[in-house]
Amino acid sequence: MTYCVAMRLSSGLVFVSDSRTNAGVDHISTFRKLHVFHQSDERVLVIQSAGNLATTQSIISLLHRRCVDDERENLLNVKSMYDAASLLGDTVREVIARDSGANQGGNTDFSCNLLLGGQIKGEGLRLFHVYPQGNFIEATHDTPYFQIGESKYGKPIIDRVLNFETPLDQAMQCALISMDSTLRSNLSVGLPLDVMTYPTHSFSAAQQHRITETHPYFDMIRKGWGEGLLSIFSQLPPLKLDE
Amino acid sequence: MTYCVAMRLSSGLVFVSDSRTNAGVDHISTFRKLHVFHQSDERVLVIQSAGNLATTQSIISLLHRRCVDDERENLLNVKSMYDAASLLGDTVREVIARDSGANQGGNTDFSCNLLLGGQIKGEGLRLFHVYPQGNFIEATHDTPYFQIGESKYGKPIIDRVLNFETPLDQAMQCALISMDSTLRSNLSVGLPLDVMTYPTHSFSAAQQHRITETHPYFDMIRKGWGEGLLSIFSQLPPLKLDE
């Protein structure tokens, strides 16, 4: 499995992805699930992927390859993020149709889920969740984040902390803690993490980091959060169930 | 859906169940999912249920009805908790076979998951998870809790706080917070809660409570926990992703 979360806030975008892929419990590998398409000072598009690795790798490869062909619509020349989401959806359909077409898959699940966030000059920030069917939904003021993969373990903390006005740094902390909760409870999600923040109107893809086991800040907030939880837990009022 | 958690600790057992059942989003009702079989000073058996409501209600009805028939094996005369789990597994198989046998179900999922915990004189505490297939696993010192239903939202807090030596009151607080996290993130889990603690060797089913929206203690720890989380969150060291 996988866990990816993306947030669209007034001050920018936040992306956090794990990098574990597994087929059963034997085939465990590390693959990057955060992909950036960037045109200096004009657009930054970020795609996060969960699901069948053959499908998601093909999608990203085709999208990259087509970026050098200016004759056809591609992620570096589409006019809006909506068009980018639509193009991504088409590519999802194309790859899944190709791979599942020969009916040699048995019960293979070729599907995938993708998050697409970014900004194209002339527009604000936008964030989409593209489904295996190629259709998509967009994050709004009320629902400023999307998750794909093993989303449930890390959802409660986001639901408590995040809103559209949360500053970018705090949102990244929240995403890292959401990821930590998931890492602790589910073996199929694993380090390293690929993380990125995109400040509104920056058109820069510079704020990308890879977080490994030994990353000092991640280690510090994991410990701080864990100890903090135990400390509030120990300060809860004594149990009293009789009303 | 449903969320139930049961814990088997050195000092006793803890059970917390929600009471929401739903078929789609329209058919939402309240049904008790925590069922007690009790013989004074001799045995206490607690069953929690998740899954198809027709299946789980039939299982509980049959188990109760058979308790008055001393000629056959029933939950009030089996010699050990292992035999009780085995009997429960048989009843699961019986009901699912009956209900799915006529092939009128289409794609209906008749399955259910059950937790069975308790103590029969002469034995220690035991806790089992009975699967839809009727087989079962038992909680151990290393894994002192089981969850059924919407288990993921509420798992991280248990993984952080609980171990076999956790006192009974703290374990109940932990279960209530795990439930609160689930209630906040998943609409298919809802109040009121049915909760019970069973102190080792008490052979008493007296410590049962129903927790509604207005329960003062639950309300207090929900607030205390939420505020505590926000306060540790605000005390995290400032974001620093460059190593």
Side-chain angles (χ1 to χ4, degrees):
Chain A
M1 276 294 271
T2 290
Y3 176 46
C4 299
V5 55
M7 300 165 172
R8 172 187 160 270
L9 309 164
S10 67
S11 51
L13 296 163
V14 167
F15 303 91
V16 173
S17 301
D18 86 316
S19 60
R20 183 160 294 173
T21 65
N22 68 301
V25 290
D26 286 335
H27 264 74
I28 295 182
S29 326
T30 298
F31 283 95
R32 193 176 165 88
K33 299 168 194 172
L34 188 150
H35 311 275
V36 181
F37 294 77
H38 177 217
Q39 194 104 279
S40 240
D41 296 328
E42 198 272 327
R43 70 179 63 203
V44 172
L45 283 77
V46 180
I47 297 175
Q48 291 168 291
S49 54
N52 184 301
L53 183 65
T55 301
T56 57
Q57 282 194 335
S58 267
I59 290 166
I60 300 298
S61 290
L62 289 173
L63 291 169
H64 270 298
R65 199 170 73 185
R66 288 166 185 173
C67 279
V68 298
D69 178 4
D70 251 353
E71 302 289 294
R72 76 188 280 175
E73 193 177 50
N74 65 51
L75 287 184
L76 297 184
N77 68 17
V78 288
K79 296 277 180 286
S80 70
M81 285 298 296
Y82 184 90
D83 294 333
S86 174
L87 178 65
L88 179 54
D90 290 343
T91 315
V92 170
R93 290 190 196 103
E94 174 189 345
V95 171
I96 295 181
R98 181 195 73 185
D99 288 0
S100 63
N103 277 323
Q104 294 174 340
N107 288 324
T108 307
D109 181 0
F110 292 100
S111 74
C112 69
N113 280 275
L114 300 157
L115 300 181
L116 166 69
Q119 186 172 25
I120 293 176
K121 211 151 212 170
E123 279 196 326
L125 304 174
R126 298 181 77 172
L127 172 64
F128 298 89
H129 178 167
V130 180
Y131 294 108
Q133 292 75 18
N135 58 345
F136 48 86
I137 57 171
E138 183 170 4
T140 61
H141 191 280
D142 293 327
T143 303
Y145 75 96
F146 287 140
Q147 303 167 294
I148 52 176
E150 277 292 355
S151 60
K152 295 183 180 185
Y153 304 103
K155 189 167 186 289
I157 181 62
I158 305 179
D159 287 338
R160 284 185 199 266
V161 164
L162 196 79
N163 64 62
F164 188 68
E165 301 304 335
T166 304
L168 218 47
D169 275 14
Q170 273 179 34
M172 176 56 84
Q173 290 173 323
C174 170
L176 291 175
I177 286 165
S178 169
M179 181 59 84
D180 180 41
S181 300
T182 311
L183 290 167
R184 279 172 179 275
S185 289
N186 192 299
L187 265 188
S188 75
V189 177
L191 293 170
L193 311 179
D194 292 301
V195 312
M196 177 170 171
T197 48
Y198 172 82
T200 311
H201 303 314
S202 67
F203 298 102
S204 153
Q207 296 189 28
Q208 291 186 56
H209 297 88
R210 174 153 274 210
I211 291 177
T212 62
E213 289 283 356
T214 59
H215 189 283
Y217 182 77
F218 188 57
D219 189 54
M220 186 162 64
I221 65 161
R222 291 182 95 166
K223 284 193 187 135
W225 183 253
E227 286 161 11
L229 283 187
L230 293 178
S231 121
I232 7 171
F233 189 78
S234 68
Q235 288 161 35
L236 288 176
L239 190 70
K240 187 178 171 308
L241 293 177
D242 301 302
E243 289 191 49
Chain B
M1 276 295 273
T2 290
Y3 176 44
C4 299
V5 55
M7 300 165 173
R8 172 186 160 271
L9 309 164
S10 68
S11 51
L13 297 163
V14 167
F15 303 92
V16 173
S17 300
D18 86 316
S19 60
R20 184 161 294 174
T21 65
N22 67 302
V25 290
D26 286 333
H27 264 72
I28 295 182
S29 326
T30 299
F31 283 95
R32 193 176 166 88
K33 299 169 194 172
L34 188 150
H35 311 275
V36 182
F37 294 77
H38 177 216
Q39 192 103 281
S40 241
D41 295 327
E42 199 272 326
R43 69 181 62 204
V44 172
L45 283 75
V46 179
I47 297 175
Q48 292 168 289
S49 54
N52 184 301
L53 182 65
T55 302
T56 57
Q57 283 193 335
S58 266
I59 290 167
I60 300 298
S61 291
L62 289 173
L63 290 170
H64 271 298
R65 199 170 73 184
R66 288 167 185 173
C67 279
V68 297
D69 177 5
D70 250 354
E71 301 289 294
R72 76 188 281 176
E73 194 177 48
N74 64 50
L75 287 184
L76 297 184
N77 68 17
V78 287
K79 296 277 180 287
S80 71
M81 286 298 296
Y82 183 90
D83 293 332
S86 175
L87 178 65
L88 179 55
D90 290 343
T91 315
V92 169
R93 290 191 195 102
E94 173 189 347
V95 171
I96 294 180
R98 180 195 73 187
D99 288 0
S100 62
N103 278 322
Q104 293 175 341
N107 288 323
T108 307
D109 181 0
F110 292 101
S111 74
C112 69
N113 281 276
L114 299 157
L115 300 181
L116 165 69
Q119 186 172 24
I120 293 176
K121 212 150 212 171
E123 279 196 325
L125 304 174
R126 298 180 78 172
L127 171 64
F128 298 89
H129 178 168
V130 181
Y131 294 107
Q133 292 76 17
N135 58 346
F136 48 85
I137 57 172
E138 182 169 4
T140 61
H141 191 279
D142 293 327
T143 304
Y145 75 96
F146 287 140
Q147 303 168 292
I148 51 177
E150 277 291 355
S151 60
K152 294 183 180 185
Y153 305 104
K155 188 167 186 290
I157 181 61
I158 304 180
D159 287 338
R160 284 186 199 267
V161 164
L162 195 78
N163 63 60
F164 187 69
E165 301 304 334
T166 305
L168 219 47
D169 275 15
Q170 274 180 34
M172 176 56 85
Q173 290 174 325
C174 171
L176 290 174
I177 286 165
S178 169
M179 181 60 83
D180 180 41
S181 301
T182 312
L183 290 166
R184 280 173 178 274
S185 289
N186 192 299
L187 264 188
S188 75
V189 177
L191 294 170
L193 311 180
D194 293 299
V195 312
M196 177 170 171
T197 48
Y198 172 82
T200 311
H201 303 314
S202 67
F203 298 102
S204 152
Q207 296 190 27
Q208 291 185 57
H209 296 88
R210 174 154 273 211
I211 292 177
T212 62
E213 290 283 356
T214 58
H215 189 283
Y217 182 77
F218 188 56
D219 189 54
M220 184 161 65
I221 65 160
R222 291 183 95 166
K223 283 192 187 136
W225 184 252
E227 285 161 10
L229 283 187
L230 293 178
S231 121
I232 7 172
F233 189 79
S234 68
Q235 289 162 34
L236 288 176
L239 191 70
K240 187 178 172 306
L241 293 177
D242 301 302
E243 291 192 49

